Amino acid sequence: MHPLDNALELESAGDDSWRGRTLPEWANMVGPFGGITAATLLRAVELHPQRHGQPIALTVNYVAPIADGEFELVTRLVKTNRSNQHWIVELSQDGEVKTTATAVFGLRREGWSDTEIEWPQAQAPEDIEPSVPPFGVVWFDNFDMRFVDGGMPDPAGEPTESASSTTTLWVRNKPSRPMDFAALTAVSDIFYPRVFLRRGHFVPAGTVSISVYFHADDEQLAAQGDGFVLGTARAHRYSGGYFDQSARLFGRGGTLLATSHQFVYFKA
């Protein structure tokens, strides 16, 4: 089984409940990689027999660190409208809530469409060397990341501050795997905290809340196959020990697949 699908494997524990477990290959500095947690919450709704439509939006709030081992998921259908459906999801361990989420699924309709933001100019991923993470964070090994610009600071080098917080990179699952909504959710959290780039070194930081907005439908995602997607991220303001960063993910042909926005705690 692919490492992503292994992490997303859930066992039914009742009409609205699921059981899962963390895996060591998705470990972050504290708990599992936030992107895999978000993808798991989305998958719980996808598996629910009352779910209809495709993911439109997902907001995940990281309440407390998730410990290694088993966890429980509870999904609650709040409201089904004519065109969309609203869900609440909770992840808990030993009765303590560790993560909460809201998800919106919807039926997409044909109509006028346009994309205002531009696809970033970038070298082809085949012309860029795969990145080697500068520190021992295990989950990086599940992705093939190739930085166009804004690579991670070298922890062995002299800290060099940057006037820009922008990172652009190509990324795909490793080993290769076709893109779907769960994989797209995980990739939406692929970007390291922007404060690392601005300050030129690693500081304590962690995502508090992330929202992912899905612009692609099933057909557009299927067209991506198992190839690279192009992502770009930047921050907006650092204040009071928090900052926000936004990201955009494009298909190889320029289709905007998803956008995300997250709020991050930091200490520097």
Side-chain angles (χ1 to χ4, degrees), residues 91-163:
L91 183 153
S92 61
Q93 290 180 311
D94 298 324
E96 180 185 357
V97 175
K98 299 295 186 72
T99 311
T100 65
T102 57
V104 181
F105 281 62
L107 302 175
R108 297 182 182 271
R109 296 186 174 92
E110 293 293 331
W112 181 84
S113 65
D114 187 34
T115 303
E116 292 193 7
I117 59 174
E118 296 182 359
W119 188 76
Q121 296 297 314
Q123 298 169 265
E126 293 80 9
D127 298 330
I128 304 172
E129 288 293 322
S131 67
V132 178
F135 52 89
V137 177
V138 178
W139 67 264
F140 273 85
D141 293 334
N142 296 299
F143 297 99
D144 181 353
M145 290 184 279
R146 307 190 182 201
F147 286 90
V148 177
D149 57 33
M152 286 177 287
D154 182 358
E158 189 70 22
T160 303
E161 294 193 0
S162 171

Side-chain angles (χ1 to χ4, degrees), residues 248-267:
R248 303 165 180 172
L249 294 169
F250 297 84
R252 188 76 180 259
T255 301
L256 180 65
L257 304 176
T259 54
S260 69
H261 203 89
Q262 61 179 277
F263 215 57
V264 185
Y265 159 85
F266 77 100
K267 187 177 181 180

Side-chain angles (χ1 to χ4, degrees), residues 87-259:
W87 294 82
I88 292 175
V89 189
E90 288 188 352
L91 183 153
S92 61
Q93 290 180 311
D94 298 324
E96 180 185 357
V97 175
K98 299 295 186 72
T99 311
T100 65
T102 57
V104 181
F105 281 62
L107 302 175
R108 297 182 182 271
R109 296 186 174 92
E110 293 293 331
W112 181 84
S113 65
D114 187 34
T115 303
E116 292 193 7
I117 59 174
E118 296 182 359
W119 188 76
Q121 296 297 314
Q123 298 169 265
E126 293 80 9
D127 298 330
I128 304 172
E129 288 293 322
S131 67
V132 178
F135 52 89
V137 177
V138 178
W139 67 264
F140 273 85
D141 293 334
N142 296 299
F143 297 99
D144 181 353
M145 290 184 279
R146 307 190 182 201
F147 286 90
V148 177
D149 57 33
M152 286 177 287
D154 182 358
E158 189 70 22
T160 303
E161 294 193 0
S162 171
S164 171
S165 66
T166 300
T167 285
T168 302
L169 82 163
W170 293 99
V171 58
R172 65 179 173 184
N173 291 295
K174 187 175 69 174
S176 62
R177 177 191 183 279
M179 182 63 71
D180 59 16
F181 287 109
L184 188 60
T185 300
V187 171
S188 295
D189 194 31
I190 199 78
F191 302 93
Y192 65 87
R194 304 292 83 207
V195 69
F196 293 1
L197 184 58
R198 286 296 309 274
R199 300 293 290 167
H201 62 92
F202 301 102
V203 301
T207 301
V208 177
S209 180
I210 182 172
S211 293
V212 182
Y213 304 101
F214 304 95
H215 302 287
D217 57 24
D218 285 321
E219 184 177 344
Q220 291 169 327
L221 280 186
Q224 308 308 314
D226 61 357
F228 284 95
V229 298
L230 181 64
T232 185
R234 60 157 299 173
H236 297 96
R237 177 173 167 80
Y238 309 82
S239 176
Y242 296 92
F243 68 91
D244 65 328
Q245 64 184 49
S246 60
R248 303 165 180 172
L249 294 169
F250 297 84
R252 188 76 180 259
T255 301
L256 180 65
L257 304 176
T259 54

